[in-house]
Amino acid sequence: MSSNQREIQRRDKRAQKERKTKRIIWIILIVIIAILVVMKVFEVNVNSVKDRFTDEEGKFSISEGVENTNFPYYLDSSENVTVRNINNKLGIMTPTTFTVLNSADAKVEYTFDHGYSNPVLVSSGIYTLIYDQGQSNYRLDTVSSSVYAETMENSILCCDITKNGTAAIATTSTSKLCEVNVYNKSLSNICHLEISEGYIIDIAINDGATRLACAVVSSEGGNFINKVYVYDVNKEANISVTELPQGSLADLNYTSKSLFAVGDTYLGVIKGDKNYHDVYEQGQIVTQHYTYTPAGELVIAFGSYNNSTENTIALVKPSGKVKSELSFDGMIKDISASSNMVSVLTGNEINGIVLTSGEVKETHETDDSAKTICRIGSTVYVQRQSVIDKSGSYDS
């Protein structure tokens, strides 16, 4: 090949490269112009895009624009879902599964199929107890592993659990009306009680596993009577019997100093294992929702009738003293509390309210698909049908 031919080939190759480079440059320019037009039409802030894709030193970084999270988290059901704060993690029970999520990024830390037909969840500290109400199976787990799974001889009525994994199981009985067995996390039976006074409708055990309270319903003179029997766990002996006001009992819950009795139309505390004190007398309230702060204080929302749109949210100390009362306009679907904030779900928004002052710190819009909320620290998680997502971060 002559030197002239080689020179001609080199010039042709350079020309092809230049034409290819120009095409690439024109394509890039066209894409940039198209992006700018779209951003202009949809009023996208260029600076916000720049901020999203730059790090703290102002350098371009793709990773800065990608949120490392699995939210929204998709559930296997939209009905009968329980969402609970379990040691600052999200505990989620559906009709078929139980899952523990890291509350920061929704990564699954522990999950299993429970296989129960009527599952009920109770929790304390790192422990969860799920039982098949009306059947005989139950299981104890931590936030990361299984402790045990057991079967009772009789049908389970209700259960409670302490922070150290001690479980109180109330069942029907073959010899009496009901019985209660208390097991430590090693499955040693530390207390057995037989109840003949009536049927157990709720049970509570204190964190030290020294006191056990059973709410029992019986019929006297044609009327249903609710009484609370308090037992010494170590001695397996009854300490006191307290009659509750007329109405349905919604919750029995031990605190460090007393026992809350939350009714549908009343609220009271049992002090010293025996003395009942009214916080709100029977008929004074109609309970809408209730929850507890990490310190064991009760947050209760009530009105003057069911589905009331003029409500009061009260913070009640374990002593029974009302610490604060806040007026709230609107029908309340759910509430969830941190140490000093309560989140309130209505039909179209979630309000974050300071418990002591009533100040609304932040409001997030939602819709009627939101069913329940769970507040962990400064973040609120909302269940919308078969999805769990973050609603927003409030100052805690």
Side-chain angles (χ1 to χ4, degrees), residues 37-82:
V37 170
V38 171
M39 293 174 69
K40 180 66 177 177
V41 170
F42 291 96
E43 299 181 348
V44 177
N45 189 310
V46 178
N47 289 327
S48 67
V49 176
K50 178 183 176 182
D51 292 341
R52 183 171 176 81
F53 289 94
T54 54
D55 59 22
E56 294 179 353
E57 298 177 356
K59 296 179 181 179
F60 180 79
S61 173
I62 290 293
S63 63
E64 293 297 320
V66 179
E67 187 178 2
N68 186 23
T69 179
N70 292 320
F71 287 109
Y73 179 82
Y74 292 90
L75 307 172
D76 55 32
S77 176
S78 61
E79 300 295 330
N80 300 317
V81 176
T82 300

Side-chain angles (χ1 to χ4, degrees), residues 293-311:
T293 70
E297 295 178 319
L298 172 69
V299 182
I300 183 170
F302 60 85
S304 56
Y305 55 90
N306 287 326
N307 299 321
S308 173
T309 56
E310 296 180 355
N311 296 294

